[in-house]
Structure formats: C-alpha cells, structure tokens
Amino acid sequence: MALWVQETDVERLLAMDDVIAAVEQGFRWLGEGQAVNQPRTRAVTPQGVLHVMHAAVPPLGVAGVKAYATTPGGARFVALLYRLDDGELLLAAEADRLGQLRTGAASGVATKVLARPDAGALGVIGSGWQARTQVQAIARVRPIALVKVYSRTPEHREAFAAELVDALGVEAVAVERPQDAVADVDVIVTITSARDPVLHGAWLAPGVHINAAGANAATRAELDAEAVRRSQLIAVDALDQARVECGDLLAAERAGDPVWSRVVELGAIVAGRQPGRTSPEQITLFESQGIATEDVVALELLYRRAVAAGVGRELPTSGTATRARR
C-alpha cells in the first residue's frame, strides 16, 4: 500500500537539519556517480505550464518524480516515490513545502562547502515563500548573527525581518536598496522572481559567497554579467540542467564571459572530487536551479518518517507489476 501525505504532514515530519543532511548526501552520491538525475522538462501552453523532473538514487533503493503545474491561478505540486527493486509505489505527496525545504537545504549545503567558515552576516534579496528556508538553512551551517533583507515592498521586507528575529533569534534589519542588503556581508541570497538583475557585480566585496536561487529559466536573470564575471568559482546543482535553464550564466556567456570553464557541479565538491573555496578573498557562486535528486532524497526521508509516525492515508494499489507495454 502506498501512502498519501499532505502539506501539513510534510510540515510536521521534516526538520531542516535532517533535510540538509539528506540533500548533502544526495549531492555526494551524484558526485560519486551513484545517483541518476534527469533535467526538468516543461510542456508550455497558453493556459499554463506542466513541469516534470525525476531521479533515481540506488543507494536508497528508490526513484521518484515531481510534477507541478503553474497557471495564472498559482502552482500545484505532487511527487511520487517508487521502490527500485520491484517498482512499487511507496509514497504520493503534496510537494510545495517539500520543495521549499529542499531548495533551502541546497543553499545550506552550498554555503557549508563554499562560504568562509566565519561567515556571520547574510544579505537577502527577496522576502517571499522561498526566502524563509534559505535563511533557516544558511543559519544552520554558519554562525549567522545579522541578516539584512531587501524586497521591493517595504511592508514585506519589514515583516520578514521581524519574523526572522522571532524565529531565529538573529538581528535582522530591512533595508531600502538591494545594494544595502549586500554591503558588508559574508553570504548573499537572491531569491526573487525577477527577470532582470537584482544583484550587480560592482556591489560585491572580496570573499563573499552567493546563493542565486530564484531564477530557473533561461529568460530570467538575478545577477548581472559583472557579478558572474567576478565569481571565480561557480557551482551548479546539475551541469546539463544549468546549460538549459540558468539565465544568469547564459546571459554572461552572451556578454562574452567564458563562464562554463569555471563551472563545476556541487556534487563533485561535496564528494571531494573538485576543490571548493581556495582563498578567503575568492568570490564563490552557487547557481541553484533545483534538481530532482534533491526531491527524491527528501521524499525518501519523508516516507521513512511517515511510516514511523503512522502518518498518511493508505492508497490501495493492485500490488502486482504488469508486463511492460509499448
């Protein structure tokens, strides 16, 4: 019997520390060639877009797929987890909160391996749904004491800063300009829906680490070409997906930057097959597109937690595999 798990269950069952650990291990398996990730595909129509992404993680004995539809009315996410040895469906889950957690966790992993160990100040551009887990995850891997927040709407950034004070016990301030958010900080997050750059290279101090987590389409860019050019080490979650979706890097390439020569996969760094930061002054960049492996390792964790807690509704299935058909 498969389990059906809803958003409220995901919220109850998954803690950020555990998701960071799962996502870090997923990247390690990718870097070691032990997991298989497929880039996202999109069916684009005038009414809306269907996005599908999938991966297999043999060390966990599972494979999974996440699909979500985005329309003018919003987005809806669902994910399926299968057991590899017999193809049995183990879990069907609503996956919006899961996606928020794993996206934050990916930035946490990148910050853990790329930011300076003493990084204590964080600048955030964006204050929406995904921004919360970005700050939460980064604060779990670095001693963050100050968060500076910018977003276009003053009420939103002020409310977000106040929320961070209550939730994390850090000093958090709302600022009036994006360049104020990234001045004198050690780590930067861009987590916006902007189509044009919100972070400029002229604002970057030596030694900063950037998590660019908002844009996952070739037509969108959060960083200008100078910010990309000044990043001496660029990590991506999956190179094949980044070459299709990463608007920041594609725009820099069009501007004449031989950007792909210094791009490495985050999994290779986590696995110790590529070096990470090599000096305190180096500017590092993680371009987060969001990959299915992150979803699958989080789904497997969710499944184990749901079984242990007796959470979820059982879905009847036939219980037997059918012959493969064309």
Side-chain angles (χ1 to χ4, degrees), residues 32-50:
E32 294 170 347
Q34 296 191 65
V36 180
N37 187 84
Q38 292 297 314
R40 179 176 13 236
T41 60
R42 292 180 166 99
V44 182
T45 78
Q47 292 78 30
V49 181
L50 177 66

Side-chain angles (χ1 to χ4, degrees), residues 120-126 135 138 144 146-150 173 175 178 180-191 199 208-211:
L122 169 64
V124 183
I125 299 177
V135 178
I138 291 166
I144 299 300
L146 170 66
V147 182
K148 299 199 288 185
V149 179
Y150 170 80
V173 295
V175 297
D180 297 331
V182 303
D184 302 315
V185 300
D186 309 298
V187 181
I188 296 169
V189 171
T190 59
I191 186 70
L199 178 64
V208 73
H209 169 66
I210 307 159
N211 295 301

Side-chain angles (χ1 to χ4, degrees), residues 1-6 9 13 79-81 88-94 302-317:
M1 300 280 275
L3 285 179
W4 168 246
V5 172
Q6 295 182 282
D9 301 318
L13 293 169
L80 304 174
L81 184 72
E88 182 177 351
L89 178 65
L90 300 174
L91 179 71
E94 293 182 327
L302 176 63
Y303 174 69
R304 285 190 283 113
R305 292 288 168 81
V307 170
V311 170
R313 182 156 54 94
E314 291 188 345
L315 297 176
T317 61

Side-chain angles (χ1 to χ4, degrees), residues 24-251:
E24 182 175 5
Q25 183 61 66
F27 277 117
R28 183 173 292 108
W29 282 325
L30 279 173
E32 294 170 347
Q34 296 191 65
V36 180
N37 187 84
Q38 292 297 314
R40 179 176 13 236
T41 60
R42 292 180 166 99
V44 182
T45 78
Q47 292 78 30
V49 181
L50 177 66
H51 316 250
V52 180
M53 50 206 300
H54 56 287
V57 185
L60 293 176
V62 295
V65 58
K66 183 172 79 174
Y68 58 104
T70 53
T71 70
R76 295 183 183 274
F77 300 79
V78 68
L80 304 174
L81 184 72
Y82 294 90
R83 190 160 55 210
L84 277 174
D85 61 0
D86 61 4
E88 182 177 351
L89 178 65
L90 300 174
L91 179 71
E94 293 182 327
D96 190 13
R97 174 61 174 162
L98 182 117
Q100 184 198 33
L101 285 165
R102 64 79 151 147
T103 303
S107 290
V109 173
T111 302
K112 180 179 177 180
V113 299
L114 293 176
R116 295 197 313 269
D118 61 348
L122 169 64
V124 183
I125 299 177
S127 62
W129 166 249
Q130 289 282 358
R132 284 150 178 80
T133 51
Q134 293 287 314
V135 178
Q136 184 184 5
I138 291 166
R140 300 305 296 172
V141 301
R142 285 295 183 270
I144 299 300
L146 170 66
V147 182
K148 299 199 288 185
V149 179
Y150 170 80
S151 65
R152 290 178 299 177
T153 305
E155 294 80 6
H156 291 174
R157 64 190 185 232
E158 290 162 7
F160 185 40
E163 179 184 325
L164 294 178
V165 172
D166 291 338
L168 300 178
V170 298
E171 180 184 358
V173 295
V175 297
E176 295 184 356
R177 303 181 303 167
Q179 53 266 50
D180 297 331
V182 303
D184 302 315
V185 300
D186 309 298
V187 181
I188 296 169
V189 171
T190 59
I191 186 70
T192 73
S193 58
R195 292 193 172 273
D196 298 314
V198 295
L199 178 64
H200 295 263
W203 305 341
L204 301 179
V208 73
H209 169 66
I210 307 159
N211 295 301
N216 62 6
T219 55
R220 293 166 53 193
E222 294 186 301
L223 277 61
D224 72 355
E226 178 67 4
V228 174
R229 187 193 66 77
R230 292 192 61 199
S231 300
Q232 293 118 316
L233 172 62
I234 302 171
V236 297
D237 33 23
L239 186 56
D240 52 1
Q241 190 163 312
R243 286 187 177 276
V244 175
E245 292 187 346
C246 189
D248 291 335
L249 302 187
L250 293 169

